[in-house]
Coordinates of all heavy atoms in Angstrom, one line a residue:
T1470 N -1.6 -1.1 5.1 CA -0.2 -1.5 5.1 C 0.7 -0.4 4.4 O 0.2 0.3 3.5 CB 0.1 -2.8 4.4 OG1 -0.2 -2.8 3.0 CG2 -0.6 -4.0 5.0
G1471 N 1.9 -0.4 4.8 CA 2.9 0.5 4.2 C 4.2 -0.3 3.9 O 4.2 -1.5 4.0
A1472 N 5.2 0.5 3.5 CA 6.4 -0.1 3.0 C 7.1 -1.1 4.0 O 7.8 -2.0 3.5 CB 7.5 0.9 2.6
G1473 N 6.9 -0.9 5.2 CA 7.4 -1.8 6.2 C 7.0 -3.2 6.1 O 7.8 -4.2 6.4
I1474 N 5.9 -3.5 5.6 CA 5.4 -4.9 5.4 C 6.3 -5.6 4.4 O 6.4 -6.9 4.4 CB 3.9 -5.1 5.2 CG1 3.5 -6.5 5.5 CG2 3.6 -4.7 3.7 CD1 1.9 -6.7 5.6
K1476 N 9.5 -4.9 3.7 CA 11.0 -4.7 4.0 C 11.6 -6.1 4.1 O 12.7 -6.3 3.7 CB 11.1 -3.9 5.4 CG 12.6 -3.6 5.8 CD 13.1 -2.4 5.0 CE 14.4 -1.9 5.5 NZ 15.2 -2.5 6.6
E1477 N 11.0 -7.0 4.8 CA 11.6 -8.3 5.1 C 11.5 -9.2 3.8 O 12.2 -10.3 3.8 CB 10.9 -9.0 6.2 CG 11.2 -8.3 7.6 CD 10.3 -8.7 8.7 OE1 9.2 -8.0 8.8 OE2 10.6 -9.6 9.4
T1482 N 12.2 0.7 2.3 CA 11.1 1.6 2.7 C 11.5 3.0 2.2 O 12.4 3.0 1.3 CB 11.0 1.6 4.2 OG1 12.3 2.1 4.7 CG2 10.7 0.2 4.8
F1483 N 10.8 4.0 2.7 CA 11.1 5.3 2.2 C 11.8 6.2 3.1 O 12.8 6.9 2.8 CB 9.7 6.0 1.8 CG 9.0 5.4 0.7 CD1 8.0 4.4 0.8 CD2 9.4 5.7 -0.6 CE1 7.4 3.8 -0.2 CE2 8.7 5.1 -1.7 CZ 7.7 4.2 -1.6
R1484 N 11.4 6.1 4.5 CA 11.9 7.0 5.4 C 12.9 6.3 6.5 O 13.3 7.0 7.4 CB 10.8 7.7 6.1 CG 10.0 8.6 5.1 CD 8.8 9.2 5.7 NE 8.1 9.9 4.6 CZ 7.3 9.4 3.7 NH1 7.1 8.0 3.7 NH2 6.7 10.0 2.7
C1485 N 13.1 5.0 6.4 CA 14.0 4.4 7.3 C 15.4 4.6 6.8 O 15.6 5.1 5.7 CB 13.7 2.9 7.4 SG 12.1 2.5 7.8
W1490 N 13.8 7.7 -0.1 CA 13.9 9.2 -0.1 C 15.2 9.7 0.5 O 15.4 10.9 0.6 CB 12.7 9.7 0.7 CG 11.4 9.5 0.1 CD1 10.2 9.3 0.8 CD2 11.0 9.2 -1.3 NE1 9.2 9.0 0.0 CE2 9.6 8.9 -1.3 CE3 11.7 9.2 -2.5 CZ2 9.0 8.7 -2.5 CZ3 11.0 9.0 -3.7 CH2 9.7 8.7 -3.7
I1495 N 11.9 13.3 -3.6 CA 10.5 13.2 -3.9 C 10.2 14.1 -5.0 O 9.5 13.7 -6.0 CB 9.6 13.5 -2.6 CG1 9.8 12.3 -1.6 CG2 8.2 13.7 -3.0 CD1 9.0 12.6 -0.3
Q1550 N -0.6 1.1 0.8 CA 0.0 2.3 0.2 C 1.1 1.8 -0.8 O 1.7 2.7 -1.5 CB 0.6 3.2 1.3 CG -0.4 3.7 2.2 CD 0.3 4.4 3.4 OE1 0.6 5.6 3.4 NE2 0.6 3.6 4.5
N1551 N 1.5 0.5 -0.7 CA 2.6 0.0 -1.5 C 2.2 -0.1 -2.9 O 1.1 -0.4 -3.3 CB 3.1 -1.3 -0.9 CG 3.5 -1.2 0.6 OD1 3.8 -0.1 1.0 ND2 3.5 -2.3 1.3
H1568 N -2.1 3.8 -3.8 CA -1.0 4.7 -4.5 C -0.7 4.1 -5.8 O 0.4 4.5 -6.4 CB 0.2 4.8 -3.6 CG 0.0 5.6 -2.4 ND1 0.8 5.6 -1.3 CD2 -1.1 6.5 -2.0 CE1 0.3 6.4 -0.4 NE2 -0.8 7.0 -0.7
V1609 N 0.5 7.0 -7.9 CA -0.1 8.2 -7.4 C 1.1 9.0 -6.8 O 1.6 8.6 -5.9 CB -1.1 7.9 -6.3 CG1 -1.7 9.3 -5.8 CG2 -2.3 7.1 -7.0
F1611 N 2.8 12.7 -5.3 CA 2.4 13.7 -4.2 C 1.7 14.8 -5.0 O 2.0 15.2 -6.1 CB 3.7 14.3 -3.6 CG 4.2 13.4 -2.6 CD1 5.1 12.4 -2.9 CD2 3.8 13.4 -1.2 CE1 5.6 11.5 -2.0 CE2 4.3 12.4 -0.3 CZ 5.2 11.5 -0.7
I1634 N -0.2 -1.5 9.5 CA 1.0 -2.4 9.6 C 2.1 -1.7 8.7 O 1.9 -1.5 7.5 CB 0.8 -3.8 9.0 CG1 -0.3 -4.5 9.8 CG2 2.0 -4.6 9.0 CD1 -0.9 -5.7 9.1
G1635 N 3.3 -1.5 9.3 CA 4.5 -1.1 8.5 C 4.4 0.3 7.8 O 4.8 0.4 6.7
T1636 N 3.7 1.2 8.5 CA 3.7 2.6 7.9 C 4.1 3.6 9.0 O 3.7 3.5 10.1 CB 2.3 2.9 7.3 OG1 2.4 4.2 6.7 CG2 1.2 2.8 8.3
S1637 N 4.8 4.7 8.5 CA 5.3 5.7 9.4 C 4.3 6.7 9.8 O 4.5 7.5 10.6 CB 6.5 6.3 8.8 OG 6.1 7.0 7.6
G1638 N 3.1 6.7 9.1 CA 2.1 7.7 9.4 C 2.4 9.1 9.0 O 2.0 10.1 9.6
H1639 N 3.2 9.3 7.9 CA 3.6 10.6 7.5 C 2.7 11.2 6.4 O 2.6 12.3 6.2 CB 5.0 10.5 6.9 CG 6.1 10.7 7.9 ND1 6.7 9.7 8.6 CD2 6.7 11.9 8.3 CE1 7.6 10.2 9.5 NE2 7.6 11.4 9.3
V1640 N 2.1 10.2 5.6 CA 1.4 10.7 4.3 C -0.1 10.5 4.4 O -0.6 9.5 4.8 CB 2.0 9.9 3.2 CG1 1.3 10.2 1.9 CG2 3.5 10.2 3.0
L1659 N 0.8 -2.4 14.2 CA 1.9 -3.4 14.3 C 3.0 -2.8 13.5 O 2.9 -2.6 12.3 CB 1.5 -4.7 13.7 CG 0.2 -5.4 14.2 CD1 -0.1 -6.7 13.4 CD2 0.3 -5.6 15.7
N1660 N 4.1 -2.4 14.1 CA 5.2 -1.6 13.5 C 6.5 -1.9 14.1 O 6.6 -2.1 15.3 CB 4.8 -0.1 13.5 CG 5.2 0.6 12.2 OD1 4.8 0.2 11.1 ND2 6.0 1.6 12.3
L1661 N 7.6 -1.7 13.3 CA 8.9 -1.9 13.9 C 9.2 -0.9 15.0 O 9.8 -1.2 16.0 CB 9.9 -1.8 12.8 CG 11.3 -2.4 13.1 CD1 11.2 -3.9 13.5 CD2 12.3 -2.1 12.0
E1662 N 8.7 0.3 14.7 CA 8.8 1.4 15.8 C 7.5 2.2 15.8 O 6.8 2.2 14.8 CB 10.1 2.3 15.5 CG 10.0 3.1 14.3 CD 11.2 3.0 13.5 OE1 12.2 2.5 13.9 OE2 11.2 3.4 12.3
P1663 N 7.2 2.9 16.8 CA 5.9 3.6 16.8 C 5.9 4.6 15.7 O 6.8 5.3 15.4 CB 6.0 4.4 18.2 CG 6.9 3.6 19.0 CD 8.0 3.0 18.1
S1664 N 4.7 4.6 15.0 CA 4.5 5.6 13.9 C 4.2 7.0 14.5 O 4.0 7.2 15.7 CB 3.4 5.1 13.1 OG 2.2 5.4 13.7
G1676 N 7.6 -4.6 16.6 CA 8.4 -5.7 16.2 C 8.2 -5.9 14.6 O 7.6 -5.1 14.0
P1677 N 9.0 -6.9 14.1 CA 8.9 -7.0 12.6 C 7.6 -7.6 12.2 O 7.0 -8.4 12.9 CB 10.1 -8.0 12.4 CG 10.4 -8.6 13.7 CD 9.9 -7.7 14.7
A1678 N 7.1 -7.2 11.0 CA 5.8 -7.6 10.5 C 5.7 -9.2 10.4 O 4.7 -9.8 10.7 CB 5.5 -7.0 9.2
T1679 N 6.8 -9.8 10.1 CA 6.8 -11.3 9.8 C 6.5 -12.0 11.1 O 6.2 -13.2 11.1 CB 8.0 -11.8 9.2 OG1 9.2 -11.4 10.0 CG2 8.1 -11.3 7.7
Ligands
APR990 N1 8.1 -4.7 10.1 C1 7.2 -3.8 10.4 N2 7.4 -2.4 10.3 C2 8.6 -2.1 9.6 C3 9.6 -3.0 9.2 C4 9.3 -4.3 9.5 N3 10.2 -5.3 9.2 N4 10.6 -2.3 8.7 C5 10.3 -1.0 8.8 N5 9.1 -0.8 9.3 C6 8.3 0.4 9.6 C7 9.1 1.6 9.9 O1 9.3 1.6 11.3 C8 8.3 2.7 9.4 O2 7.4 3.1 10.4 O3 7.7 0.7 8.3 C9 7.5 2.1 8.3 C10 7.9 2.6 6.9 O4 7.7 3.9 6.7 P1 7.9 4.7 5.4 O5 9.2 4.4 4.9 O6 7.6 6.2 5.6 O7 6.8 4.1 4.4 P2 5.3 4.3 4.3 O8 4.7 4.7 5.6 O9 4.7 3.2 3.6 O10 5.2 5.6 3.4 C11 3.9 6.1 3.0 O11 4.9 7.8 1.5 O12 6.5 8.3 0.0 C12 5.2 7.9 0.1 O13 3.9 6.9 -1.5 C13 4.9 6.6 -0.5 O14 3.4 4.9 0.0 C14 4.4 5.7 0.5 C15 4.0 6.7 1.6

Side-chain angles (χ1 to χ4, degrees):
T1470 62
I1474 199 170
K1476 183 82 171 1
E1477 292 163 270
T1482 59
F1483 292 95
R1484 295 172 182 83
C1485 305
W1490 298 148
I1495 287 176
Q1550 300 171 90
N1551 301 338
H1568 289 165
V1609 177
F1611 285 88
I1634 304 167
T1636 181
S1637 61
H1639 272 88
V1640 175
L1659 308 180
N1660 218 56
L1661 198 61
E1662 65 229 348
S1664 74
T1679 54

